[in-house]
Amino acid sequence: MATALVDLYGDGEDFERFDRIILAENYRPSEKDEFMCAKHRAYFLRKLKGWKEAIIEESRQTMAQLQVDSLREPDIADRASSETDWSIELRTRDRQRKLIAKIDCAIRRLYEGEYGYCEVTGEPISLARLEARPIATMTLEAQERHERIERVSRDD
């Protein structure tokens, strides 16, 4: 399924490399532009990479804090409280690890030219939805349909 950029966009003469575009800090994708033009892709690449870097930095801070703070609380109630706090923190980090995998998939879809299009219907995902959830793979309607089907099959 992986396709080279050359296969998607030709030899590069007509194709502006979106990953080399420098956007203004306040740039936001607009409905006026062609959907998923180079500027749109550059914007979402920057957004996804920034999100991933923030998650990784939080993980580093958590690991550093885990190494500094030992669970040698003298009081058993304090120790239990600390262990509960760390358990919650580690569960959060595990969810973020899974989120990083989804971010990586979204970045791959950007390079493959599939980003921003519903994996079920092939229709464009609204810019507002992508802005709110940059890892979205379905239009809102397709996602709602998917969740209804999932709920019905789970209830059976």
Side-chain angles (χ1 to χ4, degrees):
M1 171 124 146
T3 306
L5 288 173
V6 172
D7 294 340
L8 288 171
Y9 303 107
D11 61 6
E13 291 174 17
D14 303 335
F15 176 63
E16 185 177 6
R17 291 287 309 259
F18 71 93
D19 56 355
R20 294 188 182 157
I21 295 174
I22 299 172
L23 299 171
E25 278 300 313
N26 61 348
Y27 174 79
R28 294 282 181 264
S30 168
E31 300 286 340
K32 296 177 206 164
D33 300 326
E34 178 187 346
F35 186 73
M36 282 302 128
C37 63
K39 281 186 170 183
H40 286 186
R41 292 193 312 269
Y43 172 79
F44 286 110
L45 180 64
R46 179 177 71 186
K47 187 174 183 94
L48 289 162
K49 283 184 173 181
W51 192 12
K52 180 179 176 178
E53 288 169 12
I55 292 170
I56 290 170
E57 182 55 35
E58 286 178 27
S59 294
R60 285 189 185 119
Q61 290 173 0
T62 299
M63 294 307 294
Q65 196 64 36
L66 270 174
Q67 292 170 353
V68 170
D69 288 351
S70 62
L71 294 174
R72 289 187 247 145
E73 301 284 346
D75 182 53
I76 197 156
D78 291 342
R79 188 177 319 145
S81 178
S82 293
E83 287 176 3
T84 300
D85 291 347
W86 281 116
S87 175
I88 291 168
E89 184 70 26
L90 291 173
R91 267 187 286 165
T92 300
R93 295 292 157 243
D94 187 51
R95 280 195 302 273
Q96 289 181 334
R97 178 186 55 81
K98 293 173 184 171
L99 181 57
I100 286 175
K102 290 181 179 183
I103 292 170
D104 287 340
C105 285
I107 291 171
R108 178 190 49 76
R109 287 194 317 272
L110 268 167
Y111 282 98
E112 291 177 352
E114 299 171 1
Y115 184 82
Y117 295 93
C118 181
E119 63 184 13
V120 175
T121 64
E123 296 173 4
I125 300 171
S126 74
L127 290 174
R129 177 160 168 75
L130 290 171
E131 183 71 40
R133 184 154 178 82
I135 58 172
T137 59
M138 292 185 244
T139 61
L140 188 56
E141 296 79 18
Q143 183 71 41
E144 288 172 344
R145 217 174 14 255
H146 173 75
E147 288 174 3
R148 267 194 310 275
I149 291 168
E150 200 174 67
R151 201 173 316 124
V152 168
S153 64
R154 189 175 49 220
D155 291 343
D156 290 345

